[in-house]
Amino acid sequence: MQVPLLLHMGEPQLALERAISSGDTELLHLVLLHAKDNLPPEPFFALLAPPAAAQALPLLVGYASSRDAKLLKDFYFHRDQPLPAAGLAVREGYRAEGLAQRLDGLRIAQGFYQANEGWGDGGQQCALLARATTDQIALLQAQRLLEADTQGAPPPAGGPALP
């Protein structure tokens, strides 16, 4: 087992190369998790540059999307990928308990989309997503106002009370 020894010796790049050449995804996960825990963000993401990227990046994104949202945010920021970063902000916003946190997540996504409206072929998609996010923010705010207006009000005539 060369890979654990290389990690113990402080050689994550060589350990990554050996894990990739072995074809063993468990060794690749071992290297990625060890490097994530022991390297600052810049050297960690530099470790994932080509040719390691083709095999290591899907494993990292899969791990981070299910277990480490901060790592995924850092990854998207480092790789300058605004659309996945915005999507992550939307998902985090909707997972939040309170309305303020939901709105914050949507505003972050809206900022990513608006900042990239002039971005090549994806600019049109970003403009559309920015508008949809703006509309969603407005809908959530309108819902909050309606809920505040109807708190304690009797149910409308002719219908049952809503739960």
Side-chain angles (χ1 to χ4, degrees):
M1 282 285 163
Q2 294 178 353
V3 173
L5 181 59
L6 289 168
L7 290 173
H8 184 71
M9 293 171 49
E11 296 290 339
Q13 183 69 48
L14 193 52
L16 182 63
E17 291 169 10
R18 295 287 162 83
I20 289 171
S21 67
S22 77
D24 186 345
T25 57
E26 287 186 25
L27 282 177
L28 197 48
H29 272 109
L30 174 71
V31 172
L32 291 174
L33 294 175
H34 183 272
K36 176 188 82 74
D37 291 340
N38 294 295
L39 293 175
E42 285 296 319
F44 173 66
F45 293 123
L47 182 71
L48 301 172
Q55 292 171 320
L57 289 181
L59 291 176
L60 177 69
V61 170
Y63 166 81
S65 54
S66 66
R67 292 185 181 95
D68 193 344
K70 182 184 179 331
L71 175 63
L72 195 55
K73 279 188 228 175
D74 292 345
F75 172 75
Y76 289 143
F77 177 78
H78 180 78
R79 302 283 291 206
D80 193 26
Q81 295 181 327
L83 291 179
L88 181 61
V90 169
R91 280 190 304 279
E92 284 185 340
Y94 277 111
R95 287 182 181 150
E97 292 283 328
L99 180 64
Q101 293 86 1
R102 286 186 182 174
L103 290 171
D104 287 344
L106 289 172
R107 286 186 185 115
I108 290 169
Q110 181 184 39
F112 277 118
Y113 293 138
Q114 289 174 339
N116 291 284
E117 286 180 5
W119 174 56
D121 295 335
Q124 189 174 11
Q125 181 184 12
C126 285
L128 176 67
L129 292 169
R131 181 67 192 148
T133 306
T134 300
D135 291 347
Q136 186 60 43
I137 290 169
L139 286 171
L140 284 173
Q141 290 171 331
Q143 179 182 353
R144 178 180 57 187
L145 290 174
L146 287 171
E147 287 174 354
D149 287 347
T150 60
Q151 285 294 345
L162 296 175

